[in-house]
Amino acid sequence: MKLVTVAGPPSAGKTAVIIKTAVHLKKIYSKIGVVKFDCLSTSDHLLYKKAGISVVTGLSGNLCPDHYFVSNIDDCLQWAKKKGFDMLISESAGLCNRCSPHIKEIPAVCVIDCLAGAETPKKIGPMLRYADTVAVTKGDIVSQAEREVFSFRVRQANPKASVIFVNGITGQGAYDLSHAFSKATDVDSLEGAKLRFSVPAAICPYCVGEMTIGTDHQKGNVKKMVFKEVEEAAV
Amino acid sequence: MTELMNTPVAVIAEEHPYCMDYFRSVGVSIADTELTPREIIDALDNEALEDKGFSKEQISSHFIEFLKQAAMLKSTAERSVHSVTIVGGFDKSGTPENFELILKPGDIVCIVGTTGSGKSRLLADIECFAQKDTPTGRTVMVNGKILDGEDRFRLENKLVAQLSQNMNFVVDMSVGEFIAMHAASRMIPDIEATVEAVITCANELAGETFTYETALTQLSGGQSRALMIADTAMLSSSPIVLIDEIENAGVDRRKALELLVKEEKIVLMSTHDPILALMGNRRLAIHNGGVKKVIETDREELAGLEILQCVDEKLMQLRTMLRAGEKISLDMKKFFEL
Ligand SMILES: Nc1nc2c(ncn2[C@@H]2O[C@H](COP(=O)(O)OP(=O)(O)OP(=O)(O)O)[C@@H](O)[C@H]2O)c(=O)[nH]1
Ligand SMILES: Nc1ncnc2c1ncn2[C@@H]1O[C@H](COP(=O)(O)OP(=O)(O)OP(=O)(O)O)[C@@H](O)[C@H]1O
Ligand SMILES: [Mg+2]
Ligand SMILES: [Mg+2]
Ligand SMILES: [Zn+2]
Ligand SMILES: [Zn+2]
């Protein structure tokens, strides 16, 4: 059983990229399953079904999807094993930019789109910085110059990753990306496996349902903004 | 590399000017350039780093890796591709293609064929250095050699720059700022002169001129296309430029091709336009997923090209009249000397 984690900002093209990559992976792994982690709702399962890929969805509701991922990924792996899959791919929407689902020894892919602007790679946290491979989508609608600047910025944010442009619509580049997926080795269980970076608990009263605003209600792990003399914005 | 970590950043910056940029990208401002990377990183606050999703180990190891890669980028700027060889595979029915094609800098190759015939597939084969492992079974070599393993997927080996009708500038910056940013990411030493050259060149290709200060997103279709072509010719790291149907782009197509050839690019162009097709040195006719014919543009065809260009010029005159709000009530038969 092989596992690959795929993460990226909402609507970056994760599903499109996984589906196009699976076309090539199917030549090596006959049964591929996907587990989709999202927050409130998703219709990705319909896209996967249409592409002939088995899928199970986990909705984290009022938890950070990456936290939810950590507590459920081993169960997903066991489910996939029982189903007789050769490869399980997790798709998770990186919503808080601070957490990331990447696990040590498990191939980690980050999907980002180059419409997001040159500063984006800097803003995306561990999900990008701890990935082995970065798939950049939507290069078909921006200029060559922007693609080159964007890939330079990605490399600055994570010099160790390989960067591959993938077109989520035509599948161009998906073949190259499938090589990164097929680097996965067999895992039986994730018991004891380590995340690549911590996913800190956000334990404040608002995490557990508090709705009233005001200092009286801010207990536990509260962080306040600091308002220094307004500085000239650094360029 | 421990040495590097213990060298003052001011000294590192002499050889690697982008080293400051790295620290900026991880949100670290350097107050004193006499400090070493080790000292700077050690002084960071662990908790604040963790909050932002950083760790000291990662910043150090990424810093070293980034310098290595940036140096590599700089050296590949001088890399030369003398030839790209495509060895045929099989068409969609499994019939062997039996062709071997060697492309050299300055070549213009047109790709013709109906929708779904496999034009994009051929370009994708080149882009991923196919090694009999794509649906076509083709092999692609650079300078007569096969690239393998990790080398295939390295960014600095990216062979193909693309220009197509669907592409737009989306960043919110001025022309000058953005081209300077592109030049910086290519480690170009004289950024100012480069930016100036790119803008001048783009203005020669487009009708209406724009300046350093014009916002990218305010450029007209023709102006963006012209800037994309000039930037790709002069600043892109990729030796091959793939042009997807720019017939109606509102730029001087002949000048655009001349520029790309002058900059020693290998130009691949998928087109239905007879004038563009004849401007190529040769063309590949694709059918059913396979290259069926390699046609060299010969003297006979070139003689035809001159006439086509005269007709094109006449059409251009009519377009100019239209734009000027004139009536087109001349004797067409006479006008076209039919
Ligand atoms: N032009 C273009 N569109 C793309 C590309 N990749 C994906 N898209 C489009 O972008 C939209 C979002 O793609 P998805 O694959 O659903 O994105 P996602 O990251 O899975 O989104 P969530 O799961 O909702 O977070 C879809 O309309 C895709 O067709 C690409 O390379 N080029
Ligand atoms: N030799 C081949 N063997 C197998 N499949 C092929 C071969 N050549 C092309 N194909 C497949 O045929 C399909 C259509 O090819 P492609 O997209 O390259 O066409 P195109 O000429 O670019 O079409 P369009 O003009 O519409 O862009 C693709 O799925 C491609 O992978
Ligand atoms: Mg999705
Ligand atoms: Mg095509
Ligand atoms: Zn989180
Ligand atoms: Zn909370």
Side-chain angles (χ1 to χ4, degrees):
Chain A
M1 181 72 212
K2 326 263 184 200
L3 174 66
V4 177
T5 57
V6 178
S11 299
K14 300 177 292 295
T15 306
V17 163
I18 294 172
I19 289 174
K20 293 296 178 189
T21 309
V23 172
H24 301 279
L25 291 170
K26 273 181 185 158
K27 288 170 206 152
I28 319 171
Y29 311 103
S30 45
K31 282 192 82 180
I32 297 173
V34 167
V35 50
K36 166 69 200 252
F37 289 94
D38 214 320
C39 206
L40 297 177
S41 73
T42 175
S43 50
D44 281 358
H45 55 284
L46 300 175
L47 296 170
Y48 285 118
K49 279 203 185 120
K50 214 166 119 199
I53 298 171
S54 309
V55 55
V56 60
T57 304
L59 292 179
S60 63
N62 51 12
L63 290 178
C64 160
D66 288 310
H67 283 75
Y68 185 76
F69 169 95
V70 186
S71 0
N72 286 285
I73 187 62
D74 198 29
D75 304 76
C76 296
L77 193 76
Q78 300 314 321
W79 165 78
K81 254 169 56 186
K82 219 159 37 199
K83 290 276 242 172
F85 291 157
D86 303 299
M87 177 178 270
L88 178 69
I89 301 170
S90 76
E91 174 190 336
S92 34
L95 290 171
C96 75
N97 270 351
R98 170 58 185 79
C99 299
S100 112
H102 303 319
I103 304 167
K104 287 184 181 162
E105 319 286 334
I106 305 285
V109 178
C110 176
V111 179
I112 46 178
D113 74 65
C114 48
L115 287 177
E119 297 305 313
T120 309
K122 202 161 91 179
K123 290 187 218 148
I124 299 177
M127 162 168 88
L128 170 62
R129 286 200 295 269
Y130 284 84
D132 303 307
T133 309
V134 181
V136 182
T137 58
K138 307 190 190 176
D140 53 325
I141 40 190
V142 306
S143 62
Q144 176 71 25
E146 284 161 298
R147 283 192 293 280
E148 290 184 13
V149 168
F150 196 81
S151 57
F152 178 77
R153 291 298 167 106
V154 167
R155 192 163 11 189
Q156 196 171 45
N158 183 349
K160 294 200 168 157
S162 36
V163 183
I164 300 175
F165 278 88
V166 182
N167 183 322
I169 293 176
T170 64
Q172 196 175 347
Y175 172 77
D176 306 13
L177 183 62
S178 71
H179 282 262
F181 281 64
S182 52
K183 280 195 190 126
T185 51
D186 278 304
V187 275
D188 222 38
S189 152
L190 291 172
E191 193 66 51
K194 282 264 192 311
L195 289 173
R196 296 190 183 196
F197 199 70
S198 68
V199 284
I203 349 170
C204 69
Y206 299 105
C207 296
V208 291
E210 176 62 66
M211 286 173 76
T212 321
I213 299 172
T215 17
D216 283 355
H217 307 275
Q218 298 165 355
K219 298 187 184 78
N221 192 356
V222 175
K223 237 185 27 220
K224 304 296 282 184
M225 286 169 67
V226 187
F227 298 90
K228 287 187 241 167
E229 262 326 283
V230 179
E231 290 172 54
E232 275 305 308
V235 187
Chain B
M1 276 302 165
T2 49
E3 223 173 279
L4 198 58
M5 291 305 286
N6 295 321
T7 309
V9 286
V11 177
I12 300 177
E14 278 166 28
E15 198 189 336
H16 306 281
Y18 30 85
C19 98
M20 298 299 199
D21 199 41
Y22 177 79
F23 283 106
R24 221 170 292 132
S25 81
V26 293
V28 175
S29 51
I30 298 174
D32 179 1
T33 55
E34 286 310 310
L35 294 173
T36 68
R38 172 89 301 130
E39 288 164 339
I40 292 167
I41 294 168
D42 279 346
L44 296 173
D45 176 41
N46 266 325
E47 206 177 314
L49 281 182
E50 166 112 12
D51 271 358
K52 286 193 260 170
F54 285 107
S55 76
K56 288 184 182 177
E57 297 76 55
Q58 194 185 49
I59 293 182
S60 319
S61 72
H62 276 187
F63 173 66
I64 290 170
E65 185 67 29
F66 178 69
L67 287 194
K68 221 159 65 190
Q69 302 235 351
M72 214 140 68
L73 262 180
K74 214 159 90 181
S75 69
T76 48
E78 288 114 47
R79 156 199 66 181
S80 51
V81 168
H82 322 292
S83 72
V84 173
T85 310
I86 309 168
V87 182
F90 304 90
D91 73 6
K92 288 187 198 171
S93 330
T95 316
E97 290 182 300
N98 291 325
F99 81 95
E100 187 176 315
L101 189 69
I102 300 177
L103 308 177
K104 299 230 151 85
D107 275 354
I108 302 176
V109 179
C110 293
I111 300 173
V112 294
T114 50
T115 288
S117 55
K119 301 185 292 291
S120 300
R121 184 64 255 167
L122 175 67
L123 298 163
D125 284 347
I126 296 171
E127 205 170 31
C128 74
F129 306 96
Q131 287 170 28
K132 297 199 166 82
D133 53 0
T134 62
T136 61
R138 293 186 185 118
T139 311
V140 172
M141 294 178 285
V142 174
N143 295 341
K145 281 194 297 259
I146 287 178
L147 273 172
D148 47 22
E150 292 293 302
D151 278 351
R152 275 176 85 177
F153 307 119
R154 273 189 205 288
L155 213 53
E156 47 275 358
N157 287 333
K158 203 119 184 62
L159 266 189
V160 185
Q162 293 198 33
L163 276 170
S164 93
Q165 211 111 261
N166 306 329
M167 290 170 184
N168 287 298
F169 286 110
V170 297
V171 295
D172 191 9
M173 281 182 151
S174 75
V175 169
E177 276 171 345
F178 178 69
I179 302 300
M181 193 187 221
H182 189 195
S185 77
R186 293 290 329 282
M187 316 288 156
I188 304 263
D190 191 354
I191 292 182
E192 230 168 276
T194 309
V195 173
E196 170 124 24
V198 170
I199 295 176
T200 308
C201 186
N203 277 326
E204 277 165 23
L205 298 177
E208 301 277 305
T209 57
F210 54 89
T211 66
Y212 188 99
E213 282 84 24
T214 312
L216 275 178
T217 45
Q218 269 167 16
L219 295 178
S220 72
Q223 286 173 330
S224 325
R225 215 64 55 210
L227 182 60
M228 282 182 202
I229 293 168
D231 171 272
T232 302
M234 303 165 81
L235 271 180
S236 171
S237 55
S238 305
I240 300 181
V241 178
L242 154 64
I243 303 178
D244 209 4
E245 312 192 357
I246 51 156
E247 16 265 39
N248 305 316
V251 292
D252 187 326
R253 301 173 300 183
R254 188 159 24 154
K255 272 197 198 149
L257 285 177
E258 275 165 11
L259 171 68
L260 290 165
V261 167
K262 191 183 106 218
E263 297 291 335
E264 299 271 280
K265 299 287 182 185
I266 297 172
V267 182
L268 290 171
M269 184 163 51
S270 93
T271 184
H272 305 296
D273 183 299
I275 295 182
L276 283 178
L278 292 182
M279 280 182 192
N281 316 88
R282 51 188 133 162
R283 55 188 189 272
L284 309 182
I286 303 201
H287 177 68
N288 191 33
V291 173
K292 290 288 131 99
K293 260 189 199 165
V294 180
I295 303 169
E296 302 281 334
T297 314
D298 58 13
R299 224 177 257 167
E300 207 182 330
E301 283 192 320
L302 285 178
L305 177 61
E306 275 176 34
I307 296 178
L308 281 177
Q309 277 167 337
C310 289
V311 173
D312 196 44
E313 221 135 272
K314 300 243 164 185
L315 281 173
M316 197 61 207
Q317 286 174 27
L318 295 181
R319 283 192 206 108
T320 314
M321 286 166 69
L322 269 178
R323 283 197 195 109
E326 287 170 38
K327 260 192 94 180
I328 313 208
S329 53
L330 32 77
D331 186 343
M332 284 297 166
K333 263 195 180 152
K334 236 190 195 156
F335 183 68
F336 280 102
E337 293 158 30
L338 293 172

